[in-house]
Amino acid sequence: QSVLTQPPSVSGAPGQRVTISCTGSSSNIGAGYDVHWYQQLPGTAPKLLIYGNSNRPSGVPDRFSGSKSGTSASLAITGLQAEDEADYYCQSYDSSSWVFGGGTKLTVL
Amino acid sequence: EVQLVESGGGLVQPGGSLRLSCAASGFTFSSYWMHWVRQAPGKGLVWVSRINSDGSSTSYADSVKGRFTISRDNAKNTLYLQMNSLRAEDTAVYYCAREGVDIVATRLASYYYYYMDVWGKGTTVTVSS
């Protein structure tokens, strides 16, 4: 059971917009800790996608955006492409530990 | 090129020990805090441990506290994870990751963000009799 809750799966057609939620509590996201997002393509290592709630590392397309409000955060992907099919993880901080969400599998229909 | 390469994984019996290594290159290893993160087969990412830049401060997930020890040799640009009293539930791919930091300044304040910005490809640990 992950401290941060994500939907197990989301899907969308090419060109559409999808969002992935990450729900925490008053001891992690709600306490003001930042949320970061990682993308894990099939069979590969995770890759940093969004840091500090809404900042994109260089090289990450602006189709990816993040936001945070209260005890939750969201990752939005616009203009969905086939290569976006992957697992997505949110990550924050709680009780002296770094914590991840359970992950969301994005399927591009 | 910034790179992390893990090694040392393998098959070990329950109760056994294993030491993982993570060789860093392309950046000043001694300036960065480092992490170990694991992923059981078909499961999500789980944070395991963290060490500061000079090795004087460490932290662990409750699930490995007292059994795993993180350490580093800055002269060799290498991160380690000593795993003792291994259990079946420790079976996973183990990734090392660099902790990056960014400072975002606004008109009112500066914000410091800490995140895992560079990951290795992982090494597989299987605990089974």
Side-chain angles (χ1 to χ4, degrees):
Chain A
Q1 196 82 355
S2 302
V3 172
L4 305 178
T5 301
Q6 297 180 234
S9 63
V10 297
S11 62
Q16 285 190 331
R17 178 181 186 270
V18 296
T19 61
I20 298 173
S21 61
C22 175
T23 303
S25 67
S26 58
S27 64
N28 42 67
I29 299 175
Y33 294 114
D34 298 309
V35 178
H36 316 298
W37 291 90
Y38 302 87
Q39 177 193 59
Q40 188 175 32
L41 296 170
T44 69
K47 168 194 164 187
L48 179 67
L49 195 64
I50 296 285
Y51 70 92
N53 310 310
S54 59
N55 300 284
R56 278 187 311 276
S58 60
V60 173
D62 59 7
R63 301 186 296 104
F64 295 90
S65 63
S67 64
K68 174 189 153 184
S69 178
T71 58
S72 296
S74 288
L75 172 70
I77 310 172
T78 58
L80 207 55
Q81 299 180 4
E83 57 260 37
D84 298 333
E85 189 159 290
D87 293 325
Y88 293 84
Y89 295 89
C90 60
Q91 178 256 305
S92 188
Y93 190 79
D94 187 315
S95 303
S96 303
S97 292
W98 290 50
V99 291
F100 287 94
T104 298
K105 181 175 181 57
L106 169 62
T107 301
V108 180
L109 301 171
Chain B
E1 180 194 2
V2 174
Q3 198 171 8
L4 297 171
V5 179
E6 301 93 336
S7 61
L11 174 63
V12 60
Q13 292 189 337
S17 298
L18 212 55
R19 188 177 84 155
L20 306 183
S21 299
C22 169
S25 59
F27 65 98
T28 306
F29 178 69
S30 59
S31 297
Y32 288 85
W33 294 45
M34 298 293 296
H35 296 256
W36 286 100
V37 175
R38 69 184 181 185
Q39 185 171 35
K43 303 296 185 181
L45 302 173
V46 176
W47 175 77
V48 173
S49 184
R50 179 200 199 194
I51 188 168
N52 70 345
S53 56
D54 67 7
S56 62
S57 176
T58 59
S59 56
Y60 299 91
D62 287 343
S63 58
V64 306
K65 204 171 292 184
R67 300 188 300 124
F68 290 12
T69 302
I70 190 172
S71 63
R72 63 192 297 161
D73 185 335
N74 286 343
K76 294 183 178 179
N77 290 338
T78 303
L79 174 72
Y80 301 102
L81 185 68
Q82 177 67 44
M83 304 186 295
N84 298 331
S85 303
L86 283 162
R87 307 166 180 166
E89 53 265 35
D90 295 319
T91 294
V93 174
Y94 285 73
Y95 297 101
C96 64
R98 186 181 80 172
E99 182 175 316
V101 59
D102 193 19
I103 305 169
V104 177
T106 69
R107 189 165 52 86
L108 297 175
S110 292
Y111 298 90
Y112 289 73
Y113 299 118
Y114 302 90
Y115 43 83
M116 299 178 198
D117 65 342
V118 178
W119 295 67
K121 288 181 165 52
T123 186
T124 300
V125 172
T126 304
V127 184
S128 174
S129 55

